[in-house]
């Protein structure tokens, strides 16, 4: 088993060295920062699917929440917003939301007045509708006022690392709500429910222009480390400054990943991990042994969401732009699943390996496909059949196909992944 | 009256059109779930694939020089359905059948269908690019304006030719499916297998044939839905990927595995979406003199940006409140 680990990680290391020789150091460092962020997200999914057997197709939503969180915390303060009447309007909106919440809670308790059965259902529906109307009546003018006077509410201007942490907290909170409502469902229903909730989140974040600037996008989002320009001012040349700046970013990300890996691997090996595996493999038996199945599953779902939120926050702050319309299910949900399936569900090192390896394949399949198409096009031209048109834009699409092919092949020939889950049994 | 016609044009026709698309897709999803017991996520891309097959065939047809009163995209649909059904069989043989033979869990098949989704998406974009195409680049899209013979009505009812064809072909497909499922031996076998696969097998039903027929029906209907959707709007690589979730919502709403439920669920969702974004103040305007409040400029239940979200909210609520669907669906 150990030889397999060493072999795969050594091969990965050689691959990274090869990439840096081909594509240059600055590119490779950038690639590694993103690959480690994706590995963190894959580890989050590993907690949910590998440890707990919970199907989450809503990863995209968690990444967006994390990205929004770091934008909100670390972007400079928008004084136009705070100096206008907008905070007052916001207060009124919050009050309306609170009134709506009280109405809903009261409606759910209406059976105390002797209203039960169908009538209670009707009262609850009417209460939700009334609460929605009250909220919308305050929210709509507020949103219009903010977008017309100050654009959006801006950030808080706090440190970036705090933003990452807040990304984890916020994603965990969202994960708690998602898990609370949907964890009772069977695997395939859970998949559809989570993807539905993620799409709702995506639509909301994309369209709340007053809060997230929506399609207008927010940039530049600050870095936790000096920028390349700072290194250039200190005398480094252009390439070197990018390597240094991205390198220091990489160190922080690797540190975060290392801490997360250490913590979750300790948890996995400990009694907590054994309990989670028991729940995953047979939740009825685990329940009869006195384990709180639903509570534990919720716990796993929240833990996984926290890692996903942090990963999403890292990605957004590294790229420096929060663009809600750039989030796509293929790039931000299915890709993570490919990483975990190929790496090995249930194995933390498998998730780490899969995350980094698949991200490199994902990024490199575009230039490789371009090279392939160029040579094919040259060949077909020499045969007199004419060149392939629009090679550049077609080559980018190749990676989606490659990912699909990889995951179907992996499911068929290595269903437990390259680094399968290995459970140590004490004799 | 004019306002009512506006309501009819906007909400009713829109609802029927959207509902037909959802229903056609949801029937395929629900049949696959009933027979093979997994959520086939690649169904949306099968629809897109069908649309592109029709597009290619329509190009061939147009170059043959024949001119018929119907759009070329619609004429070639039967052939395209056969091609897509064959492709669906091939996809099953290549990617799902080996996993089923190994006895993989439904969840594994679900992940495999994600892989198939990505492959179809990648291939379509590789060959056709990411741009938008139209079936009506060489021929006009007929729009029928029906003037009502009522006093004081100036606004006509607007229907486009593809919309009429869509509704008609959905009706034909649904009726044909109904007769297939209830009258033919194979259709009865399908229902039996959806109810209890083991019992169906021991009573002599050819389950392998049933699986193949399921893919043929699902692929054919997906092609029909994809082509009609592309005729109604336009053809692009993410044409149906964006509506695969509403389709699942429709199938779940009707109870997964329940073919009639899926049709009903499709129409319920179609109307729910169009009614939720309809501007109700238009209907209130005639009463502006007797109403005590001022009618707002726009009075919609949700803003139109959130149109697709309506389906997801309904989906989540149904999953939570009644996961078996509104018709208590067990199976067809």
């Amino acid at each position: 088993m150990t030889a397999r680990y060493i072999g795969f990680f050594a091969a990965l290391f050689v691959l990274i060295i090869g990439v840096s020789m081909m594509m240059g150091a600055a590119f490779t460092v950038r690639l590694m920062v993103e690959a480690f962020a994706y590995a963190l997200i894959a580890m989050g999914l590993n907690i949910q699917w590998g440890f707990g057997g919970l199907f989450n197709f809503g990863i995209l939503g968690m990444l967006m929440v994390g990205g929004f969180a770091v934008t909100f915390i670390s972007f400079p303060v928008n004084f136009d917003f705070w100096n206008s009447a907008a905070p007052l309007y916001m207060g009124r909106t919050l009050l309306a939301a609170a009134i709506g919440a009280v109405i809903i809670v009261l409606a759910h308790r209406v059976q105390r007045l002797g209203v039960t059965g169908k009538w209670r259902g009707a009262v609850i529906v009417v209460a939700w509708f009334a609460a929605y109307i009250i909220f919308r009546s305050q929210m709509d003018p507020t949103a219009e006022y903010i977008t017309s006077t100050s654009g959006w509410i801006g950030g808080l201007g706090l440190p970036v690392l705090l933003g990452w942490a807040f990304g984890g907290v916020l994603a965990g909170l969202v994960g708690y709500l998602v898990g609370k409502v949907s964890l009772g469902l069977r695997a395939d229903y859970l998949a559809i429910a989570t993807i539905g909730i993620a799409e709702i989140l995506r639509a909301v974040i994309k369209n709340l222009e007053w809060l997230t600037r929506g399609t207008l996008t927010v940039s530049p989002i600050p870095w936790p480390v000096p920028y390349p320009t700072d290194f250039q001012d200190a005398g480094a040349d252009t390439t070197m400054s990018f390597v240094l700046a991205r390198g220091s970013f990489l160190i922080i990300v690797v540190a975060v990943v290392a801490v997360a890996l250490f913590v979750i691997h300790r948890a996995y090996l400990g009694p907590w991990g054994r309990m989670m595996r028991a729940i995953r493999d047979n939740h009825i038996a685990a329940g009869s042994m006195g384990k709180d199945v639903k509570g534990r599953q919720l716990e796993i779902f929240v833990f996984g969401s926290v890692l996903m939120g942090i990963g999403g926050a890292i990605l957004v702050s590294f790229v420096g732009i929060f663009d809600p319309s750039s989030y796509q299910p293929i790039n931000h949900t299915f890709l993570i699943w490919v990483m975990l399936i190929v790496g090995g569900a249930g194995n933390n090192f498998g998730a780490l390996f899969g995350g980094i390896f698949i991200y490199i394949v994902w990024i490199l399949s575009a230039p490789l496909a371009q090279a392939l198409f160029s040579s094919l096009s040259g060949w077909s031209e020499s045969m007199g059949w004419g060149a392939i048109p629009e090679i550049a834009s077609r080559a980018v699409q190749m990676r989606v196909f490659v990912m699909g092919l990889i995951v179907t092949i992996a499911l068929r020939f290595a269903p437990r992944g390259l680094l399968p889950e290995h459970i140590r049994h004490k004799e | 009256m004019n306002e009512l016609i506006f309501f009819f044009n906007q909400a009713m026709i829109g609802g029927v059109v959207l509902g037909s698309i959802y229903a056609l897709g949801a029937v395929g999803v629900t049949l696959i779930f009933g027979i093979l017991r997994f959520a086939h996520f690649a169904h949306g891309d099968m629809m897109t694939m069908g649309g592109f097959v029709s597009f290619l065939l329509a190009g061939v047809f147009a170059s043959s020089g024949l001119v018929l009163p119907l759009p070329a995209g619609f004429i070639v649909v039967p052939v395209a359905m056969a091609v897509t059904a064959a492709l669906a069989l091939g996809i099953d043989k290549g990617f799902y059948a080996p996993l089923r033979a190994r006895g993989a869990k439904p969840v594994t098949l679900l992940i495999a269908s994600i892989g198939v989704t990505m492959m179809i998406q990648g291939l379509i974009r590789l060959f056709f690019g990411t741009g938008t195409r139209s079936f009506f680049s060489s021929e006009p899209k007929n729009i029928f304006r029906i003037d009502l013979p009522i006093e004081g009505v100036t606004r006509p009812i607007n229907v486009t030719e593809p919309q009429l064809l869509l509704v008609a072909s959905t009706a034909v497909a649904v009726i044909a499916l109904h007769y297939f499922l209830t009258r033919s031996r194979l259709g009865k076998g399908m229902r039996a297998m959806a109810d209890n696969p083991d019992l169906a097998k021991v009573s002599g039903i050819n389950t392998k044939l049933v699986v193949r027929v399921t893919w043929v029906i699902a692929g054919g209907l997906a092609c029909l839905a994809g082509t009609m959707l592309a005729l109604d709007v336009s053809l692009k690589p993410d044409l149906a990927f964006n509506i695969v979730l509403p389709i699942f919502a429709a199938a779940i709403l009707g109870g997964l595995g329940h073919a009639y439920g899926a049709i009903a669920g499709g129409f319920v969702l179609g109307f729910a979406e169009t009614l939720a974004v309809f501007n109700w103040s238009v209907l209130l305007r005639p009463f502006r003199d007797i109403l005590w409040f001022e009618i707002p400029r726009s009075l919609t239940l949700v803003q139109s940006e959130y149109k697709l979200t309506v389906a997801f909210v309904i989906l989540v609520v149904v999953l939570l409140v009644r996961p078996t669907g509104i018709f208590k669906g067990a199976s067809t």
Side-chain angles (χ1 to χ4, degrees), chain A residues 18-354:
Chain A
V19 169
S20 74
M21 279 158 74
M22 292 276 292
M23 313 290 287
F27 175 85
T28 312
V29 181
R30 196 198 91 192
L31 183 70
M32 290 324 292
V33 173
E34 288 167 358
F36 270 98
Y38 271 98
L40 189 67
I41 299 162
M43 277 152 61
L45 181 63
N46 186 37
I47 296 180
Q48 294 178 343
W49 171 240
F51 293 10
L54 300 174
F55 217 86
N56 182 4
F57 260 1
I59 304 168
L60 172 143
M62 300 304 166
L63 300 191
M64 283 189 94
V65 168
F68 161 71
V70 74
T71 311
F72 181 68
I73 292 288
S74 65
F75 201 76
V77 179
N78 181 2
F79 289 105
D80 286 348
F81 168 78
W82 294 104
N83 293 335
S84 69
L88 190 73
Y89 276 80
M90 288 295 302
R92 288 225 297 260
T93 310
L94 279 179
L95 195 66
I99 292 172
V102 168
I103 291 176
I104 291 169
V105 169
L106 287 181
H108 275 271
R109 296 189 168 188
V110 81
Q111 78 266 28
R112 294 193 173 193
L113 299 175
V115 184
T116 49
K118 268 191 182 152
W119 288 105
R120 178 169 176 259
V123 168
I124 290 174
V125 169
V126 170
W128 275 90
F129 189 72
Y132 177 71
I133 299 282
I134 293 173
F135 177 68
R136 275 284 300 278
S137 71
Q138 292 303 314
M139 188 66 248
D140 285 9
T142 308
E144 208 161 299
Y145 177 80
I146 295 176
T147 44
S148 62
T149 53
S150 51
W152 66 306
I153 68 171
L156 296 179
L158 295 172
V160 178
L161 291 180
L162 197 69
W164 293 3
F166 185 60
V169 171
L170 205 60
L173 213 64
V174 173
Y176 178 80
L177 294 176
V178 173
K180 193 86 186 157
V181 297
S182 58
L183 274 184
L185 299 167
R186 253 179 37 202
D188 32 11
Y189 284 81
L190 182 60
I192 296 167
T194 45
I195 204 171
I197 294 173
E199 289 298 314
I200 295 173
L201 267 177
R202 178 157 79 126
V204 168
I205 293 182
K206 200 162 147 183
N207 291 312
L208 287 184
E209 206 182 296
W210 61 273
L211 184 65
T212 64
R213 273 194 105 198
T215 47
L216 296 174
T217 73
V218 186
S219 69
I221 294 161
W223 275 22
V225 292
Y227 296 99
T229 45
D230 299 333
F231 284 102
Q232 277 165 28
D233 294 341
D237 65 34
T238 318
T239 323
M240 201 57 207
S241 68
F242 273 97
V243 173
L244 284 173
R246 288 169 178 176
S248 31
F249 202 112
L250 179 62
I251 290 169
I252 298 183
V253 176
V254 170
V256 172
V257 172
V259 169
L261 186 64
F262 176 75
V263 171
I264 63 174
H265 201 61
R266 281 300 297 258
Y268 177 77
L269 294 177
W272 186 83
R274 278 203 300 279
M275 174 180 65
M276 291 308 178
R277 286 198 297 279
I279 291 176
R280 175 193 67 188
D281 293 338
N282 191 339
H283 65 92
I284 298 167
S288 70
M289 300 291 286
K291 305 297 178 201
D292 175 12
V293 173
K294 208 158 178 210
R296 293 303 176 178
Q297 287 186 333
L298 195 56
E299 196 176 292
I300 293 185
F301 205 79
V302 171
F303 282 170
S305 301
V306 168
L307 287 194
M308 289 172 186
I310 296 175
I314 291 175
L315 280 177
V316 164
S317 62
F318 180 65
V319 180
I321 177 167
F322 181 59
D323 177 9
S325 33
S326 72
Y327 286 82
Q328 296 294 334
I330 285 188
N331 302 12
H332 295 95
T333 298
F334 300 161
L335 182 64
I336 319 281
W337 271 94
V338 179
M339 289 168 177
L340 188 64
I341 297 292
V342 171
N347 185 341
N348 294 315
F349 294 98
L352 178 70
F353 174 82

Side-chain angles (χ1 to χ4, degrees), chain B residues 51-140:
Chain B
F52 275 97
V53 169
S54 299
F55 184 75
L56 283 181
L57 289 174
V60 173
F61 182 81
S63 66
S64 73
L66 271 172
V67 177
L68 289 175
L70 291 172
F74 183 71
I75 306 265
V76 297
V77 156
V79 187
M81 281 168 74
V83 174
T84 314
L87 287 172
L89 278 176
I91 289 172
D92 179 54
K93 189 115 187 112
F95 301 110
Y96 302 136
L99 294 179
R100 276 204 307 276
R102 205 181 67 209
K105 279 186 284 185
V107 171
T108 314
L109 282 160
L110 173 56
I111 302 173
S113 77
I114 292 294
V116 170
T117 298
M118 293 171 91
M119 282 196 285
I120 299 179
Q121 286 250 335
L123 281 183
I124 288 177
R125 290 178 198 207
L126 201 60
F127 285 109
F128 296 95
T130 48
T132 306
R133 286 151 196 275
S134 171
F135 274 98
F136 294 96
S137 51
S138 57
E139 53 186 328

